[in-house]
Amino acid sequence: MQITFIIPCYNAKNIIIKNYEKLLKFIKREKIKGKIIYINDGSQDRTIEELRKIKSKDVKIFDNKHNLGKSKSIVKVLKTVKTKNIVLIDCDLPYFKYLKTVIKNLNRYDLVSINRKLKSSMNLDKNKNLYKITRNLISNFLGFLVEKKLKLNVNGDTQAGLKAFKIDSRFKKIHFISKYYFLDIELINFYRQNNFKIKLIPVKFNISDKSSIKFFSFKNFKIIFEFFKVLNRIKS
């Protein structure tokens, strides 16, 4: 199977090389014909310098001089991809132990996604701090709105950092409008509306203490506005 791994990065200098080597070992072990595309989305640390240490014809680097937004960066790269199969994974390689399962299911399904809201999924956090509790409440609320309005049948979990999907000529014609974090909603909606086969993978997980989203930031108003813009655009 030929796969393109798309990995967006922002301020990831401390983990990028270690995780690249981890992914490379996986690709070789599973005998995958893999290409890796890294997107440095205007990082303010030395992420791009670290990425440039990678010397491989199977690795391509997109360097945004300014922060374009995670979704917009991915859409930009998707237009250049030649393979039919795509794995979209965050640079910290979340749910890495499920990557083999996700790729295996891509043989039978058109979209395969980690899903933390399935009954068989399990949150392993025992000591939840205020940040984790707040983040989980916001996630649940946004997920509720997505399901109520769009009925995507993903239990409200659209933002997990590991997905795999197949693209065709119809996919190439989609005009995605998300700039920040809601490309996932548009992706899932496309596969639902076109009656493609979707597989949701249950996971055991922890809520991360790290995020590029800060609760008290003016940018959050732009993100919220975009969220409702995406919902309304899909609904109409």
Side-chain angles (χ1 to χ4, degrees):
M1 179 184 289
Q2 292 186 330
I3 298 174
T4 297
F5 294 83
I6 298 179
I7 307 176
C9 310
Y10 181 74
N11 290 349
K13 67 172 184 176
N14 294 328
I15 63 171
I16 202 68
I17 296 298
K18 177 182 68 175
N19 284 348
Y20 163 69
E21 292 172 350
K22 184 177 180 180
L23 178 59
L24 185 61
K25 287 181 182 178
F26 171 84
I27 290 173
K28 290 181 177 179
R29 184 175 67 247
E30 299 302 321
K31 298 180 180 179
I32 295 170
K33 295 179 180 179
K35 300 287 185 180
I36 303 174
I37 298 179
Y38 282 101
I39 310 170
N40 176 47
D41 191 21
S43 294
Q44 297 176 345
D45 62 2
R46 295 180 60 82
T47 296
I48 188 60
E49 284 82 356
E50 291 297 304
L51 284 172
R52 286 173 178 159
K53 292 178 181 178
I54 301 173
K55 307 297 181 184
S56 171
K57 62 181 178 59
D58 293 323
V59 176
K60 188 172 183 179
I61 299 168
F62 282 78
D63 182 26
N64 298 338
K65 300 304 180 184
H66 304 284
N67 185 263
L68 298 181
K70 182 179 179 180
S71 292
K72 187 173 182 179
S73 298
I74 294 170
V75 170
K76 179 181 176 182
V77 165
L78 279 171
K79 295 177 181 178
T80 71
V81 173
K82 304 298 182 182
T83 62
K84 179 181 179 181
N85 303 298
I86 308 292
V87 169
L88 183 58
I89 186 169
D90 290 344
C91 64
D92 58 339
L93 301 184
Y95 318 108
F96 187 77
K97 66 180 181 180
Y98 297 96
L99 182 56
K100 183 176 180 179
T101 301
V102 168
I103 291 175
K104 183 178 180 181
N105 275 278
L106 198 57
N107 286 312
R108 297 178 53 200
Y109 297 90
D110 301 292
L111 170 66
V112 184
S113 179
I114 292 301
N115 192 288
R116 298 159 294 186
K117 304 298 184 183
L118 296 174
K119 289 183 178 180
S120 48
S121 289
M122 184 183 300
N123 185 344
L124 300 177
D125 281 313
K126 294 182 179 179
N127 299 312
K128 300 178 183 178
N129 56 33
L130 181 60
Y131 174 82
K132 289 187 176 185
I133 294 172
T134 305
R135 182 172 174 176
N136 191 49
L137 287 173
I138 293 173
S139 175
N140 288 341
F141 177 66
L142 295 180
F144 169 77
L145 292 179
V146 170
E147 285 299 339
K148 184 174 179 62
K149 190 149 190 173
L150 303 181
K151 295 179 174 57
L152 297 182
N153 296 320
V154 292
N155 303 290
D157 188 10
T158 61
Q159 303 305 117
L162 172 58
K163 290 179 177 64
F165 49 94
K166 298 174 183 175
I167 58 176
D168 60 11
S169 57
R170 284 174 291 181
F171 185 93
K172 295 282 189 178
K173 295 177 181 178
I174 306 173
H175 174 61
F176 294 106
I177 65 171
S178 178
K179 176 181 177 181
Y180 297 110
Y181 300 104
F182 304 113
L183 173 63
D184 305 70
I185 296 175
E186 295 187 87
L187 279 175
I188 296 169
N189 180 71
F190 168 76
Y191 287 93
R192 283 291 186 209
Q193 292 299 315
N194 287 280
N195 296 314
F196 286 116
K197 293 188 291 183
I198 296 175
K199 175 68 174 180
L200 305 178
I201 307 294
V203 291
K204 295 180 181 179
F205 68 98
N206 297 93
I207 299 174
S208 175
D209 277 316
K210 299 178 180 179
S211 174
S212 60
I213 302 175
K214 307 302 179 185
F215 287 149
F216 303 104
S217 169
F218 176 73
K219 183 180 178 181
N220 289 343
F221 291 100
K222 295 181 180 179
I223 293 173
I224 293 171
F225 175 77
E226 179 180 278
F227 172 75
F228 287 103
K229 182 179 178 181
V230 169
L231 260 61
N232 290 328
R233 189 244 192 178
I234 291 175
K235 187 66 176 177
S236 60

